[in-house]
Amino acid sequence: MSWPPDSAGGTPEPPAPRRRPHGWRGALGAVADHGFLIALAAVCLLPLYVMLIASFERAADFDGAALLPTLSPTFENYRTVWTELGFDRMFVNSAVLSLSAAAIATALAAGAAFGFTRLRFAGRGLLLAGVVATMAIPAIVVIVPLSVLMTDLGLVDRLPSAILAEAGLLLPFAIFLLHTYMRELPSELFEAAEVDGASRWRQFREIALPLARPALATTFLVSAIYAWNDLLIPLVLWQAEQLTTLMVGLALLGPSRAGTQNVPLLMAGVTISILPLAVAFAVARRAVVRGLVEGGER
Amino acid sequence: MRAAAAATARAARGAGWLAPGLALVGLIVAYPLVRVVEWSLTDRTTFLDGSFVGLDNYRQLLSDELFWRAFTNNLILLLSVPLSIAIALVVTGVLYRGLRGGRLYELAIFVPFLPAVASIAVVFLYVLSAGGPLNELLRGAGAGALAQPWLTDADVAIWSVLGVVLWKRIGFTVLLLTARMASIDRTLLDAAAVDGAGWWRTYWQVAVPGMRGIIAFAAVLGFIEAFSWTFAYVVILTRGGPDRATYTLEYLLYRLQFDEQLVGLASAVAVFLLVAALAVAAYRVHSARREALL
Amino acid sequence: MASLALIGARKAYPGGAEALRGVDLAVADGELMVLVGPSGCGKTTALRAIAGLERLTDGTVEIDGEDVGALEPAARDVAMVFQSYALYPSMTVARNLSFGLRARGVARAERDRRVREIARLLELEELLDRRPRQLSGGQRQRVAMGRAIVREPRAFLMDEPLSNLDARLRVQMRGEIVRLQARLGATMVYVTHDQVEALTMGRRVAVMDAGRIRQCDTPAALYERPADTFVARFIGSPPASLLRGRLGEGRDGELECVIGGVAVALGAGAEAARPALRAAVGGELVVGVPADGFALAPGGAAGIPGTVALAELLGAETLVHVELAGAGEGGAAATVVGRFGRGVAAVPGDPVAVALVPDRLDYFDPETGLALDRPAVA
């Protein structure tokens, strides 16, 4: 048993260089490889490239498409969407939804994962299988009763509705991720603590949580990304204008404004919606990638 | 007796740790799951509780042309699975063939996966608009004949959506495959190379069979996405149009529930999607068992 | 400190495997008891049952005469040192040491005093702010010991605490643990698979095999009067060799044993020391020959004829393996291993004569493997 587990999903290592045939055939092969990958990378990056350059165009000068950066870039679009189209408020709403749902999911999952790993009780295996199965249930399948339930509870258009729904849908994935990590912690540590007289709660707080910190970070981060990116739940449960999230805002504004001279504005808005993800990814690439690989589409 | 009491006590102690999480999952997922099946057998609407109608909702759906069109569109989007896996296999093979800068390419290809579907969809609204960058690019490259109204032509629109889904998927599939590739025993590859096999032969015959599990995982995720996570694409890119040509089951469900208030019928659509989800659930439980995670 | 006891302890797992098959063990207050045996013999399970980490299927665990079977580990007030040390990685040495005291709600001032005292005792003062991963193996071992001692528990349970140390450090720590135990007057159960460690540390040693205690005695008694063939083959380095012989009477009525076709006179003292031998006359016996239980003579001299199979020079001494034709079960060949000085003349292939030293031999029943005149088990 290796510990700490380093293969949780396996963070890809850079491809090790292989010896390729020398001479002109090898050189030709290398050129072909690079050509293929450059073409593919271009296809992947171009849409985001045109998004970025359009976001710096002046709306008045924009004629429907921009393939090259403008010579007179402006931040005006960012200022406008932020202050006049309400992206400032949407940003806050998205952040509230994303961070609180991730916090709730991570906190509850930590307790449940500890229970699953450290306690032997009847029905444990069945419950765990249920958790794994629930990971595969998408939001759309439960959205109908969920919206009715939230209406009955009087929670629609109030903060807890989307936050609880998002946390509940993320929870199985969070439990699974933390469980796979915690089960690799050496059981002797907990036995030692037990002999030392520590309660379960103390074992959880002082031993399990500090040791699981990397997995907790991954779980929180990936949960936050999913919640930030989700459209359906806030669209249905947070319909009030003051609760609009970035994704809902984009979904409402996009179709009515694309293809018009409002495109630069819209692209500025999209850029704002992606920015926190880019930051999270830049800061914690390994944790994010590991969590995404483990969780799949949650 | 003592043993039974002890078992009960142990179960009770377990409950303390699990209860909050399981209660939330029960409220948000399990309870609605039961309800959605129950309601699919009623003519419930948003305003009326409705009454039991047996399988009427299902019969109505199966005889509805729009339902079948939506289902067909889901199947078309499902093409993103084999396509993304095929492309990702080639990309992974090239990346591991040993060229400099592989890491950078990997990163570039991964980038589309990170943003939300909603963000991406809005970008593509612009990219694919009639006077947008893609058509501009085609005209500039002398391929103006290929330029078209990508999202507003009823024959083309769903294929455009497929293109966007595929564009977003490839990076993630490559990520999964390279993650697995990194853990394949390199001496196997070296042994094949020493035996005189060329790279592609080695890759297909030695490395790819070792990636079977992760390929299945990618396929299963793609499958559930094609059925249950296309909502944001459709609602932004086409709103089901033009002329309802790009409806998917998810979008149909959404319209039935929130525009037409037909809760019973929407629930029946949800049950169809649930079947797909359960297949995936069974797979995940099975593979977790196999990896001794349960 | 307290006395400990396992009474009729059984532990069966759902699969049907049995780790303990009826273990009786009594450890007196202040005693150092060593449990030794091969891996899988149940010694660690016995220890964990005392700690409360395993529930017995049957039988009782007593601490100071009180049945503690229903108590959680925390309530038993014993301390355990694990093979892996099980130091809490996220805590400093100081916090590791005070963990058990905090868990038991000992006041801060008292905690600090005890941690300082233990740190001084074990020379850990410089290390108090380090984390486990910054310590050497020996230092970790001392912290694990300190964590147990600082609690002032009723007993210490040590699960192979030295097996992760290198040989030199291991020998040094053995001595330190014995001194510490004596100084604290601690009741201690010490589990090891290493019989040398067991013999050098224990006042009493319990030898376990297949879920049972085979013999529990002083190190000298284990070596000189093994209770059965298992103990004879387990204790000593090298352990005793087992030969087959038939017990008979010589012309003058003295006992003799025929081994490999040669009659070995057991001498006048044999019967006095082992009264049961007389009753076994005419039957087959297993004869235990310890490493110092025979002399070597050139081939053709008096003794059992054999061939040198192997001579291992171990610095100051040489281990000589001699193959004896017809001395094993059913007339097969058997090998005896003896310890000799470095100058012994033994070249593989040489014919030699093995002259057994009757006083050093042990005799076992070939059916049960039990010693004739078996000493009491506990």
Side-chain angles (χ1 to χ4, degrees):
Chain A
M1 187 175 66
S2 76
W3 191 86
D6 52 5
S7 62
T11 309
E13 291 307 313
R18 284 185 66 80
R19 289 178 299 278
R20 62 165 68 245
H22 291 291
W24 64 271
R25 279 188 62 184
L28 205 65
V31 169
D33 286 358
H34 280 289
F36 171 71
L37 290 172
I38 287 171
L40 189 68
V43 171
C44 288
L45 295 178
L46 264 178
L48 298 169
Y49 160 80
V50 296
M51 167 195 83
L52 268 180
I53 60 171
S55 73
F56 292 108
E57 292 266 343
R58 279 170 212 286
D61 303 343
F62 188 73
D63 64 351
L67 295 177
L68 295 172
T70 171
L71 293 175
S72 52
T74 172
F75 269 102
E76 190 57 23
N77 300 313
Y78 287 92
R79 204 193 58 75
T80 310
V81 289
W82 189 256
T83 57
E84 286 168 33
L85 290 181
F87 272 60
D88 52 349
R89 197 188 56 237
M90 295 184 210
F91 191 95
V92 172
N93 290 338
S94 280
V96 168
L97 175 63
S98 155
L99 298 179
S100 39
I104 292 173
T106 307
L108 296 186
F114 181 75
F116 275 126
T117 35
R118 298 305 322 155
L119 300 172
R120 294 282 168 269
F121 53 88
R124 173 181 163 279
L126 214 61
L127 270 181
L128 207 47
V131 167
V132 173
T134 328
M135 279 169 73
I137 305 290
I140 190 77
V141 170
V142 292
I143 194 68
V144 170
L146 195 54
S147 66
V148 174
L149 175 74
M150 290 299 177
T151 310
D152 290 350
L153 293 175
L155 289 177
V156 168
D157 285 345
R158 299 178 58 182
L159 278 178
S161 59
I163 291 173
L164 285 180
E166 208 70 78
L169 285 161
L170 286 167
L171 199 49
F173 150 77
I175 293 174
F176 180 74
L177 203 63
L178 284 174
H179 172 69
T180 49
Y181 190 88
M182 282 196 189
R183 70 200 283 274
E184 300 294 334
L185 299 178
S187 61
E188 287 196 344
L189 289 179
F190 297 96
E191 290 176 346
E194 215 158 291
V195 174
D196 268 350
S199 62
R200 297 272 177 203
W201 173 245
R202 187 180 285 272
Q203 291 175 36
F204 176 65
R205 221 185 50 217
E206 295 201 28
I207 298 173
L209 284 189
L211 288 179
R213 212 175 291 151
L216 290 170
T218 297
T219 307
F220 179 83
L221 215 56
V222 175
S223 302
I225 290 176
Y226 281 138
W228 177 273
N229 282 352
D230 192 30
L231 171 63
L232 185 64
I233 294 292
L235 181 67
V236 171
L237 299 179
W238 277 2
Q239 294 176 358
E241 205 192 331
Q242 74 274 11
L243 283 176
T244 306
T245 64
L246 280 173
M247 299 310 149
V248 173
L250 288 174
L252 297 178
L253 288 176
S256 58
R257 306 218 178 191
T260 71
Q261 61 178 8
N262 281 314
V263 163
L265 223 52
L266 207 50
M267 292 305 116
V270 177
T271 306
I272 289 174
S273 79
I274 298 177
L275 220 52
L277 302 172
V279 171
F281 186 68
V283 171
R285 186 177 55 80
R286 283 179 75 94
V288 170
V289 167
R290 193 187 319 126
L292 291 176
V293 170
E294 289 271 303
E297 303 285 310
R298 99 174 162 191
Chain B
M1 285 312 281
R2 229 175 90 188
T8 316
R10 277 201 301 279
R13 269 187 318 200
W17 290 96
L18 304 177
L22 294 185
L24 188 57
V25 176
L27 182 74
I28 302 298
V29 186
Y31 166 77
L33 271 183
V34 175
R35 271 301 151 97
V36 85
V37 174
E38 181 191 333
W39 290 353
S40 75
L41 303 172
T42 70
D43 58 0
R44 189 185 169 101
T45 68
T46 308
F47 312 104
L48 298 169
D49 282 352
S51 51
F52 182 78
V53 294
L55 296 175
D56 275 5
N57 289 326
Y58 294 94
R59 254 178 243 125
Q60 190 183 337
L61 282 178
L62 292 177
S63 61
D64 184 352
E65 197 254 338
L66 186 58
F67 173 82
W68 288 108
R69 196 187 307 161
F71 184 65
T72 310
N73 283 338
N74 280 120
L75 291 182
I76 289 175
L77 296 184
L78 194 56
L79 288 177
S80 66
V81 174
L83 288 174
S84 64
I85 289 175
I87 295 171
L89 275 172
V90 174
V91 171
T92 306
V94 171
L95 280 172
Y96 269 79
R97 199 175 160 194
L99 72 183
R100 289 169 197 284
R103 195 73 189 169
L104 274 179
Y105 291 121
E106 230 180 293
L107 211 60
I109 296 168
F110 175 72
V111 160
F113 182 68
L114 203 55
V117 172
S119 309
I120 291 303
V122 172
V123 171
F124 272 92
L125 265 183
Y126 160 55
V127 170
L128 299 176
S129 61
L134 179 59
N135 283 341
E136 280 294 300
L137 210 60
L138 288 172
R139 288 190 197 103
L146 290 177
Q148 26 204 322
W150 297 100
L151 294 170
T152 47
D153 181 325
D155 293 330
V156 177
I158 188 65
W159 300 98
S160 301
V161 176
L162 171 63
V164 178
V165 172
L166 188 60
W167 179 83
K168 193 155 176 2
R169 260 209 95 61
I170 288 176
F172 182 63
T173 316
V174 169
L175 180 77
L176 286 178
L177 294 192
T178 50
R180 179 71 187 93
M181 190 74 185
S183 64
I184 283 180
D185 186 359
R186 293 209 65 87
T187 57
L188 281 180
L189 301 181
D190 290 341
V194 169
D195 285 346
W199 166 242
W200 286 107
R201 178 181 292 272
T202 307
Y203 178 64
W204 291 118
Q205 296 187 354
V206 178
V208 174
M211 295 195 280
R212 228 179 269 149
I214 200 77
I215 291 172
F217 183 61
V220 162
L221 293 181
F223 173 76
I224 194 74
E225 186 188 30
F227 276 94
S228 297
W229 293 105
T230 59
F231 174 73
Y233 290 106
V234 174
V235 78
I236 294 175
L237 283 172
T238 64
R239 307 225 143 162
D243 194 21
R244 308 208 281 188
T246 55
Y247 262 60
T248 60
L249 289 180
E250 262 179 285
Y251 190 67
L252 176 65
L253 184 159
Y254 179 79
R255 294 297 291 262
L256 287 173
Q257 166 74 16
F258 296 104
D259 292 344
E260 303 186 36
Q261 326 288 353
L262 297 173
V263 175
L265 212 51
S267 296
V269 178
V271 171
F272 276 105
L273 295 176
L274 176 61
V275 171
L278 286 181
V280 172
Y283 168 83
R284 293 202 91 149
V285 171
H286 172 74
S287 64
R289 279 252 158 83
R290 202 183 39 217
E291 287 159 35
L293 290 177
L294 294 184
Chain C
M1 288 293 158
S3 65
L4 299 174
L6 284 175
I7 302 161
R10 287 176 192 281
K11 175 70 186 180
Y13 291 103
E18 281 185 278
L20 300 178
R21 304 165 183 244
V23 169
D24 293 294
L25 180 73
V27 186
D29 190 350
E31 184 182 23
L32 169 55
M33 168 70 81
V34 176
L35 281 181
V36 67
S39 67
C41 70
K43 56 192 189 296
T44 295
T45 309
L47 196 72
R48 292 168 57 89
I50 297 172
L53 295 171
E54 304 265 2
R55 303 259 154 179
L56 290 177
T57 316
D58 199 6
T60 50
V61 185
E62 288 183 357
I63 299 179
D64 257 350
E66 173 205 3
D67 182 354
V68 295
L71 295 185
E72 292 291 318
R76 298 190 183 192
D77 195 19
V78 296
M80 186 155 168
V81 175
F82 291 81
Q83 183 172 5
S84 64
Y85 312 138
L87 300 182
Y88 311 124
S90 51
M91 301 178 199
T92 61
V93 168
R95 283 186 71 81
N96 261 285
L97 290 174
S98 65
F99 181 84
L101 300 177
R102 279 182 288 131
R104 283 157 198 279
V106 173
R108 189 194 177 97
E110 169 71 2
R111 247 164 34 206
D112 291 348
R113 187 188 64 75
R114 285 213 236 165
V115 167
R116 267 199 312 275
E117 187 185 312
I118 293 301
R120 194 169 340 106
L121 181 71
L122 294 174
E123 292 167 27
L124 294 170
E125 287 150 309
E126 310 288 303
L127 308 175
L128 283 176
D129 292 328
R130 301 233 193 130
R131 282 174 205 277
R133 87 174 67 85
Q134 299 166 304
L135 302 179
S136 70
Q139 290 168 336
R140 287 179 204 191
Q141 212 285 326
R142 293 217 305 278
V143 176
M145 295 281 301
R147 197 174 61 181
I149 297 169
V150 76
R151 280 205 8 234
E152 299 174 6
R154 295 205 282 175
F156 293 95
L157 308 175
M158 320 281 273
D159 186 10
E160 310 227 10
L162 302 182
S163 63
N164 283 338
L165 298 180
D166 65 56
R168 213 167 46 91
L169 203 51
R170 191 155 58 217
V171 171
Q172 180 195 334
M173 284 308 294
R174 263 183 221 159
E176 281 190 30
I177 290 177
V178 170
R179 272 194 297 280
L180 213 52
Q181 185 268 341
R183 179 169 160 189
L184 300 170
T187 308
M188 183 180 287
V189 181
Y190 186 104
V191 162
T192 177
H193 66 273
D194 179 352
Q195 55 99 13
V196 175
E197 197 165 294
L199 297 183
T200 51
M201 291 183 70
R203 295 289 300 282
R204 280 203 303 155
V205 177
V207 183
M208 286 191 72
D209 178 50
R212 290 196 179 89
I213 292 183
R214 310 303 288 251
Q215 186 173 7
C216 180
D217 218 328
T218 62
L222 288 177
Y223 186 67
E224 285 161 13
R225 297 292 295 268
D228 60 19
T229 49
F230 175 82
V231 176
R233 292 290 299 149
F234 189 77
I235 296 293
S237 51
S241 313
L242 299 181
L243 303 177
R244 285 296 180 119
R246 181 168 291 279
L247 197 61
E249 281 180 44
R251 248 169 270 157
D252 49 3
E254 273 196 10
L255 293 173
E256 61 179 29
C257 193
V258 180
I259 301 171
V262 175
V264 179
L266 300 189
E271 203 176 341
R274 321 229 172 202
L277 277 174
R278 176 61 65 184
V281 166
E284 205 169 86
L285 278 181
V286 174
V287 179
V289 184
D292 57 356
F294 66 95
L296 277 182
I304 307 166
T307 312
V308 175
L310 183 63
E312 300 172 279
L313 179 64
L314 304 175
E317 55 192 33
T318 305
L319 298 185
V320 181
H321 301 238
V322 181
E323 191 170 293
L324 303 176
E329 188 176 355
T335 303
V336 287
V337 184
R339 192 187 311 110
F340 299 95
R342 54 176 303 158
V344 67
V347 177
D350 278 0
V352 287
V354 167
L356 299 177
V357 182
D359 288 351
R360 295 289 303 114
L361 301 183
D362 292 299
Y363 307 95
F364 306 94
D365 183 317
E367 297 295 320
T368 63
L370 298 178
L372 304 182
D373 296 307
R374 193 157 174 260
V377 167

